[in-house]
Amino acid sequence: MDRSAAAPGVLEGSDVGSQKDRVVTEEEWLQKWEMGNIGFHKEQGHPLLQKYLNVLLNGRSGLRIFFPLCGKAVEMKWLADMGHSVVGVEVSEQALKEFFAEHSLPYHEEPVPEISGAKKFTSGNISLYCCSIYDLSSSIVGKFDGVWDRGALVAVNPCDRERYVSLMITLMEKNSSYLLVTVSYDPNKHKGENLHCEIKCLQKVDDFSDRHRQWGLDYFLEVLYVLKFVA
């Protein structure tokens, strides 16, 4: 759901050290959208994607780009306007409809036969699935040349991260690029995930605010990595 700052946000007033044990339900995420509690959404898009766009594209055109937990990320429109095919997945139907409305995009809605209750919203070269990401597979959505993961790995429950990583690996083409924005507030709290690929840290950005101070944190960083799934 386009929410790199959202996962810690659900812990307001609680012990941040319990992050590794948190479980956030689908209903809680849906409620965030219903109540407009989406401070994680960047209306102007993410500056790190603007800065490192060529790392994702590597001079290539006509790519298939995946947005896991996409929310209404404006970057989907950016990449579609460049001629790339964009595929996103999000549990909140409201978020997806807001995306199309805010960009004045007409769309076609249809069921996804392979996934009970799922919907697919299509507008030109943008296809957004309304379902759990774990219901997707390469047989349904194909494979991708690039991924913009702005906080999806952060947002999924820690107990589900191995499952998430395994799924993402199956969705990646050879020689694809995966831009991952995660957060850092205490490097000793979590062990990193092993994605079996080349990983490089591109930039760390100080995103500390009064909200994070209220959580009892001393620092809060957004960190951008590029993951190369080499042939």
Side-chain angles (χ1 to χ4, degrees):
M1 150 183 301
D2 181 24
R3 53 198 178 206
S4 66
V10 301
L11 297 176
E12 290 186 34
S14 64
D15 177 12
V16 176
S18 66
Q19 169 78 352
K20 67 182 184 301
D21 300 317
R22 68 173 170 83
V23 175
V24 180
T25 66
E26 180 176 312
E27 289 70 24
E28 288 174 303
W29 285 125
L30 293 175
Q31 187 177 41
K32 278 183 171 290
W33 282 96
E34 291 169 2
M35 299 181 66
N37 184 18
I38 55 171
F40 46 82
H41 175 67
K42 290 186 178 293
E43 293 184 359
Q44 305 303 317
H46 205 295
L48 288 178
L49 180 58
Q50 293 176 314
K51 182 175 181 178
Y52 292 100
L53 181 61
N54 193 54
V55 175
L56 178 65
L57 304 180
N58 195 27
R60 299 170 295 171
S61 60
L63 301 185
R64 301 192 75 241
I65 308 294
F66 185 48
F67 281 68
L69 311 190
C70 61
K72 56 177 182 179
V74 300
E75 298 91 341
M76 294 190 290
K77 181 67 162 51
W78 293 355
L79 287 163
D81 286 346
M82 295 175 194
H84 304 290
S85 296
V86 171
V87 177
V89 61
E90 168 62 51
V91 296
S92 172
E93 183 173 332
Q94 176 180 335
L96 300 182
K97 289 184 174 179
E98 286 183 10
F99 168 79
F100 291 114
E102 291 173 8
H103 294 283
S104 301
L105 294 173
Y107 62 87
H108 171 68
E109 176 182 336
E110 61 184 317
V112 182
E114 302 92 339
I115 306 173
S116 176
K119 297 179 180 180
K120 179 182 177 183
F121 300 88
T122 305
S123 179
N125 52 344
I126 301 174
S127 298
L128 305 183
Y129 289 79
C130 186
C131 62
S132 167
I133 190 172
Y134 303 115
D135 288 331
L136 296 183
S137 65
S138 59
S139 64
I140 297 173
V141 296
K143 293 194 174 187
F144 299 97
D145 306 297
V147 172
W148 171 243
D149 184 334
R150 192 254 164 166
L153 179 62
V154 175
V156 299
N157 292 319
C159 60
D160 292 328
R161 285 184 182 152
E162 184 174 346
R163 181 184 180 191
Y164 174 86
V165 168
S166 296
L167 170 64
M168 296 305 294
I169 290 173
T170 68
L171 299 180
M172 302 304 297
E173 291 281 12
K174 297 295 186 182
N175 296 312
S176 57
S177 295
Y178 188 125
L179 286 185
L180 170 67
V181 179
T182 184
V183 296
S184 173
Y185 50 79
D186 187 339
N188 298 312
K189 294 257 198 267
H190 289 296
K191 294 181 179 180
E193 303 290 341
N194 181 5
L195 301 187
H196 308 290
C197 58
E198 296 178 2
I199 303 175
K200 179 182 179 181
C201 179
L202 296 178
Q203 188 171 342
K204 296 181 179 181
V205 178
D206 185 358
D207 197 36
F208 188 73
S209 68
D210 288 340
R211 177 177 57 166
H212 304 125
R213 186 177 291 107
Q214 291 171 2
W215 299 344
L217 301 179
D218 297 318
Y219 66 93
F220 191 92
L221 306 175
E222 276 200 321
V223 188
L224 178 67
Y225 297 91
V226 59
L227 286 62
K228 290 286 189 179
F229 288 77
V230 296

Coordinates of all heavy atoms in Angstrom, one line a residue, residues 64 66 68 133-134 136-139 141-147 149 153 160-178 180 192-199 227-231:
R64 N 8.1 -4.0 -18.1 CA 7.0 -4.4 -17.2 C 7.5 -4.1 -15.8 O 8.5 -4.7 -15.3 CB 6.6 -5.8 -17.4 CG 6.2 -6.2 -18.8 CD 5.5 -7.6 -18.8 NE 4.1 -7.5 -18.2 CZ 3.7 -8.2 -17.1 NH1 4.6 -9.0 -16.5 NH2 2.5 -8.1 -16.7
F66 N 6.5 -3.6 -11.7 CA 5.6 -4.1 -10.7 C 5.7 -3.2 -9.4 O 6.7 -2.8 -9.0 CB 5.9 -5.5 -10.2 CG 5.0 -6.1 -9.3 CD1 3.6 -6.1 -9.5 CD2 5.4 -6.8 -8.2 CE1 2.7 -6.7 -8.6 CE2 4.5 -7.4 -7.3 CZ 3.2 -7.4 -7.5
P68 N 4.4 -3.6 -5.8 CA 3.7 -4.3 -4.7 C 3.1 -3.4 -3.7 O 3.7 -2.4 -3.3 CB 4.8 -5.2 -4.1 CG 6.1 -4.4 -4.4 CD 5.8 -3.7 -5.7
I133 N -1.6 -9.8 -2.1 CA -0.4 -10.0 -2.9 C 0.0 -11.5 -3.0 O 0.5 -12.0 -4.0 CB 0.8 -9.2 -2.5 CG1 1.9 -9.3 -3.5 CG2 1.3 -9.6 -1.1 CD1 3.1 -8.3 -3.2
Y134 N -0.4 -12.2 -1.9 CA 0.0 -13.7 -1.8 C -0.9 -14.5 -2.7 O -0.6 -15.7 -2.9 CB 0.0 -14.1 -0.4 CG 0.8 -13.3 0.5 CD1 0.3 -12.6 1.6 CD2 2.2 -13.3 0.4 CE1 1.1 -11.8 2.4 CE2 3.0 -12.5 1.2 CZ 2.5 -11.8 2.2 OH 3.3 -11.0 3.0
L136 N -1.2 -13.7 -5.8 CA -0.7 -13.6 -7.2 C 0.4 -14.6 -7.5 O 1.0 -15.2 -6.6 CB 0.0 -12.2 -7.3 CG -0.9 -11.0 -7.2 CD1 -0.1 -9.7 -7.5 CD2 -2.1 -11.1 -8.2
S137 N 0.6 -14.9 -8.7 CA 1.7 -15.8 -9.2 C 2.1 -15.3 -10.6 O 1.4 -14.5 -11.2 CB 1.2 -17.2 -9.2 OG 0.2 -17.4 -10.2
S138 N 3.2 -15.8 -11.0 CA 3.7 -15.5 -12.4 C 2.7 -16.0 -13.5 O 2.7 -15.4 -14.5 CB 5.1 -16.0 -12.6 OG 5.1 -17.4 -12.5
S139 N 2.0 -17.0 -13.2 CA 1.0 -17.5 -14.2 C -0.2 -16.5 -14.3 O -0.8 -16.5 -15.4 CB 0.5 -18.9 -13.8 OG -0.2 -18.8 -12.5
V141 N 0.1 -12.9 -13.4 CA 0.6 -11.5 -13.7 C 1.8 -11.5 -14.6 O 2.3 -10.4 -15.0 CB 0.8 -10.7 -12.4 CG1 -0.5 -10.5 -11.7 CG2 1.9 -11.3 -11.5
G142 N 2.4 -12.7 -14.8 CA 3.6 -12.7 -15.6 C 4.8 -12.4 -14.8 O 4.8 -12.3 -13.5
K143 N 6.0 -12.1 -15.4 CA 7.2 -11.7 -14.7 C 7.6 -10.2 -15.1 O 7.1 -9.7 -16.1 CB 8.3 -12.6 -15.1 CG 8.1 -14.1 -14.5 CD 9.4 -14.9 -14.6 CE 9.2 -16.2 -13.9 NZ 10.4 -17.0 -13.8
F144 N 8.5 -9.7 -14.3 CA 8.7 -8.2 -14.4 C 10.2 -7.9 -14.6 O 11.1 -8.6 -14.1 CB 8.2 -7.5 -13.2 CG 6.7 -7.7 -13.0 CD1 6.2 -8.7 -12.1 CD2 5.8 -6.9 -13.7 CE1 4.9 -8.9 -12.0 CE2 4.4 -7.1 -13.5 CZ 4.0 -8.1 -12.7
D145 N 10.4 -6.8 -15.4 CA 11.7 -6.3 -15.6 C 12.2 -5.4 -14.5 O 13.4 -5.2 -14.4 CB 11.8 -5.5 -16.9 CG 11.2 -6.3 -18.1 OD1 11.8 -7.4 -18.4 OD2 10.2 -5.9 -18.6
G146 N 11.3 -4.9 -13.7 CA 11.7 -4.0 -12.6 C 10.6 -3.9 -11.6 O 9.4 -4.2 -11.8
V147 N 11.0 -3.6 -10.4 CA 10.1 -3.4 -9.2 C 10.4 -2.1 -8.5 O 11.6 -1.8 -8.3 CB 10.2 -4.6 -8.2 CG1 9.3 -4.3 -7.0 CG2 9.7 -5.9 -8.9
D149 N 9.5 -1.0 -5.0 CA 9.0 -1.5 -3.7 C 9.3 -0.3 -2.7 O 10.3 -0.3 -2.0 CB 9.8 -2.7 -3.3 CG 9.2 -3.4 -2.0 OD1 8.7 -2.6 -1.2 OD2 9.4 -4.6 -1.8
L153 N 8.0 -4.3 1.6 CA 8.7 -5.3 2.5 C 8.6 -4.8 3.9 O 8.5 -5.7 4.8 CB 10.2 -5.4 2.0 CG 11.0 -6.3 2.9 CD1 10.5 -7.8 2.8 CD2 12.5 -6.3 2.4
D160 N 5.5 -12.8 7.8 CA 5.2 -13.1 6.4 C 6.3 -12.7 5.4 O 6.2 -12.9 4.2 CB 4.0 -12.4 5.9 CG 2.7 -12.9 6.6 OD1 2.7 -14.1 6.9 OD2 1.8 -12.1 6.9
R161 N 7.4 -12.2 5.9 CA 8.4 -11.6 5.0 C 9.1 -12.7 4.2 O 9.5 -12.5 3.0 CB 9.5 -10.8 5.8 CG 8.8 -9.4 6.2 CD 9.8 -8.5 6.9 NE 9.1 -7.3 7.3 CZ 9.4 -6.5 8.3 NH1 10.5 -6.8 9.0 NH2 8.7 -5.4 8.5
E162 N 9.4 -13.8 4.8 CA 10.0 -14.9 4.0 C 9.1 -15.3 2.8 O 9.6 -15.5 1.7 CB 10.4 -16.1 4.9 CG 11.1 -17.2 4.2 CD 11.6 -18.3 5.1 OE1 11.5 -18.1 6.3 OE2 11.9 -19.4 4.6
R163 N 7.8 -15.4 3.1 CA 6.8 -15.7 2.1 C 6.8 -14.6 1.0 O 6.7 -14.9 -0.2 CB 5.5 -15.8 2.8 CG 4.3 -16.2 1.8 CD 3.0 -16.2 2.7 NE 1.9 -16.5 1.9 CZ 0.6 -16.4 2.3 NH1 0.4 -15.9 3.5 NH2 -0.4 -16.7 1.5
Y164 N 6.9 -13.4 1.4 CA 6.9 -12.3 0.5 C 8.1 -12.3 -0.4 O 8.0 -12.2 -1.6 CB 6.8 -10.9 1.3 CG 7.0 -9.7 0.5 CD1 5.8 -9.1 -0.1 CD2 8.2 -9.1 0.3 CE1 5.9 -8.0 -0.9 CE2 8.3 -7.9 -0.5 CZ 7.2 -7.4 -1.1 OH 7.3 -6.2 -1.8
V165 N 9.3 -12.5 0.2 CA 10.5 -12.6 -0.6 C 10.5 -13.7 -1.6 O 10.8 -13.5 -2.8 CB 11.7 -12.7 0.4 CG1 13.0 -13.1 -0.4 CG2 11.9 -11.4 1.2
S166 N 10.0 -14.9 -1.2 CA 9.9 -16.0 -2.1 C 9.0 -15.7 -3.3 O 9.3 -16.1 -4.4 CB 9.4 -17.2 -1.3 OG 10.3 -17.6 -0.3
L167 N 7.9 -15.1 -3.0 CA 7.0 -14.7 -4.1 C 7.7 -13.7 -5.0 O 7.6 -13.9 -6.3 CB 5.7 -14.1 -3.5 CG 4.8 -13.4 -4.5 CD1 4.2 -14.5 -5.5 CD2 3.6 -12.7 -3.9
M168 N 8.3 -12.7 -4.5 CA 8.9 -11.7 -5.4 C 10.0 -12.3 -6.3 O 10.1 -11.9 -7.4 CB 9.5 -10.5 -4.5 CG 8.4 -9.8 -3.7 SD 7.1 -9.1 -4.8 CE 8.0 -7.9 -5.7
I169 N 10.7 -13.2 -5.8 CA 11.8 -13.8 -6.6 C 11.1 -14.5 -7.8 O 11.7 -14.5 -8.9 CB 12.6 -14.8 -5.7 CG1 13.5 -14.0 -4.7 CG2 13.5 -15.7 -6.6 CD1 14.2 -14.9 -3.7
T170 N 10.0 -15.2 -7.6 CA 9.3 -15.9 -8.7 C 8.8 -14.9 -9.7 O 8.5 -15.4 -10.8 CB 8.2 -16.8 -8.2 OG1 7.1 -16.0 -7.7 CG2 8.7 -17.7 -7.1
L171 N 8.6 -13.7 -9.4 CA 8.0 -12.7 -10.3 C 9.1 -11.9 -11.1 O 8.7 -11.1 -11.9 CB 7.1 -11.7 -9.5 CG 5.9 -12.3 -8.8 CD1 5.1 -11.2 -8.1 CD2 5.0 -13.1 -9.7
M172 N 10.3 -12.1 -10.8 CA 11.4 -11.4 -11.4 C 12.0 -12.0 -12.7 O 12.3 -13.2 -12.6 CB 12.5 -11.1 -10.4 CG 12.0 -10.4 -9.2 SD 11.2 -8.8 -9.5 CE 12.5 -7.9 -10.3
E173 N 12.1 -11.3 -13.7 CA 12.9 -11.7 -14.9 C 14.4 -11.7 -14.6 O 14.8 -11.1 -13.7 CB 12.6 -10.8 -16.1 CG 11.2 -10.9 -16.7 CD 10.9 -12.1 -17.6 OE1 11.8 -13.0 -17.6 OE2 9.9 -12.1 -18.2
K174 N 15.1 -12.5 -15.4 CA 16.6 -12.4 -15.3 C 17.0 -11.0 -15.7 O 16.4 -10.4 -16.6 CB 17.2 -13.5 -16.2 CG 16.9 -14.9 -15.9 CD 17.5 -15.3 -14.5 CE 17.2 -16.8 -14.2 NZ 17.8 -17.1 -12.9
N175 N 18.1 -10.5 -15.1 CA 18.6 -9.2 -15.3 C 17.6 -8.1 -15.0 O 17.7 -7.0 -15.6 CB 19.1 -9.1 -16.8 CG 20.2 -10.0 -17.1 OD1 21.2 -10.1 -16.4 ND2 20.1 -10.8 -18.2
S176 N 16.7 -8.3 -14.1 CA 15.8 -7.3 -13.7 C 16.4 -6.5 -12.6 O 17.4 -6.9 -11.9 CB 14.5 -7.9 -13.3 OG 14.7 -8.9 -12.2
S177 N 15.8 -5.3 -12.3 CA 16.2 -4.4 -11.2 C 15.1 -4.2 -10.3 O 13.9 -4.0 -10.7 CB 16.7 -3.1 -11.8 OG 17.8 -3.2 -12.6
Y178 N 15.4 -4.2 -9.0 CA 14.4 -4.1 -7.9 C 14.9 -2.9 -7.0 O 15.9 -3.0 -6.3 CB 14.4 -5.4 -7.2 CG 13.3 -5.6 -6.1 CD1 12.5 -6.7 -6.2 CD2 13.2 -4.8 -5.0 CE1 11.5 -7.0 -5.3 CE2 12.2 -5.0 -4.1 CZ 11.4 -6.1 -4.2 OH 10.4 -6.4 -3.2
L180 N 14.3 -1.0 -3.8 CA 13.6 -1.2 -2.5 C 13.9 -0.1 -1.5 O 15.0 0.3 -1.2 CB 14.2 -2.5 -1.9 CG 13.8 -2.8 -0.4 CD1 12.3 -3.1 -0.3 CD2 14.7 -4.0 0.1
G192 N 18.5 -8.9 8.4 CA 18.1 -8.6 7.0 C 17.6 -9.8 6.3 O 17.9 -11.0 6.7
E193 N 16.8 -9.6 5.3 CA 16.4 -10.7 4.4 C 17.4 -11.0 3.4 O 18.1 -10.2 2.9 CB 15.1 -10.3 3.7 CG 13.9 -9.9 4.6 CD 13.4 -11.0 5.4 OE1 13.6 -12.2 5.0 OE2 12.7 -10.8 6.4
N194 N 17.6 -12.3 3.1 CA 18.5 -12.7 2.0 C 17.8 -13.0 0.8 O 17.0 -14.0 0.7 CB 19.3 -14.0 2.5 CG 20.3 -14.5 1.5 OD1 20.5 -13.8 0.5 ND2 20.9 -15.6 1.7
L195 N 17.9 -12.1 -0.2 CA 17.2 -12.3 -1.5 C 17.9 -13.0 -2.6 O 17.4 -13.1 -3.7 CB 16.8 -10.9 -2.0 CG 15.9 -10.0 -1.0 CD1 15.5 -8.7 -1.7 CD2 14.7 -10.8 -0.5
H196 N 19.1 -13.5 -2.3 CA 19.9 -14.3 -3.3 C 20.1 -13.5 -4.5 O 19.8 -14.0 -5.6 CB 19.2 -15.6 -3.6 CG 18.8 -16.4 -2.4 ND1 19.8 -17.0 -1.6 CD2 17.6 -16.6 -1.8 CE1 19.2 -17.6 -0.6 NE2 17.9 -17.4 -0.7
C197 N 20.6 -12.3 -4.4 CA 20.8 -11.4 -5.5 C 21.9 -10.4 -5.1 O 22.2 -10.3 -3.9 CB 19.6 -10.7 -6.0 SG 18.8 -9.7 -4.7
E198 N 22.3 -9.6 -6.1 CA 23.3 -8.5 -5.8 C 22.5 -7.4 -5.1 O 21.5 -6.9 -5.7 CB 24.0 -8.1 -7.0 CG 24.9 -9.2 -7.6 CD 25.5 -8.7 -8.9 OE1 25.3 -7.5 -9.3 OE2 26.2 -9.5 -9.6
I199 N 23.0 -6.9 -4.0 CA 22.4 -5.8 -3.3 C 23.3 -4.6 -3.1 O 24.5 -4.8 -2.7 CB 21.9 -6.2 -1.9 CG1 20.9 -7.4 -2.1 CG2 21.1 -5.1 -1.2 CD1 20.4 -8.0 -0.8
L227 N 18.4 -4.0 -6.0 CA 18.7 -5.5 -6.0 C 18.7 -5.9 -7.5 O 17.8 -5.6 -8.3 CB 17.6 -6.2 -5.3 CG 17.5 -6.1 -3.8 CD1 17.3 -4.7 -3.3 CD2 16.4 -7.0 -3.3
K228 N 19.8 -6.6 -7.9 CA 20.0 -7.0 -9.2 C 19.8 -8.5 -9.3 O 20.6 -9.3 -8.6 CB 21.3 -6.6 -9.8 CG 21.5 -5.2 -10.0 CD 20.8 -4.7 -11.3 CE 21.1 -3.3 -11.7 NZ 20.4 -2.9 -12.9
F229 N 18.8 -9.0 -10.0 CA 18.6 -10.4 -10.2 C 19.3 -10.8 -11.5 O 18.8 -10.7 -12.6 CB 17.1 -10.7 -10.3 CG 16.3 -10.6 -9.0 CD1 16.0 -9.3 -8.5 CD2 16.0 -11.7 -8.2 CE1 15.3 -9.2 -7.3 CE2 15.3 -11.5 -7.0 CZ 15.0 -10.3 -6.6
V230 N 20.5 -11.2 -11.3 CA 21.4 -11.5 -12.4 C 21.1 -12.8 -13.0 O 20.7 -13.8 -12.4 CB 22.9 -11.4 -12.0 CG1 23.2 -10.0 -11.5 CG2 23.2 -12.4 -10.9
A231 N 21.5 -12.9 -14.3 CA 21.3 -14.2 -15.0 C 22.2 -15.2 -14.6 O 23.3 -14.9 -14.1 CB 21.4 -13.9 -16.5

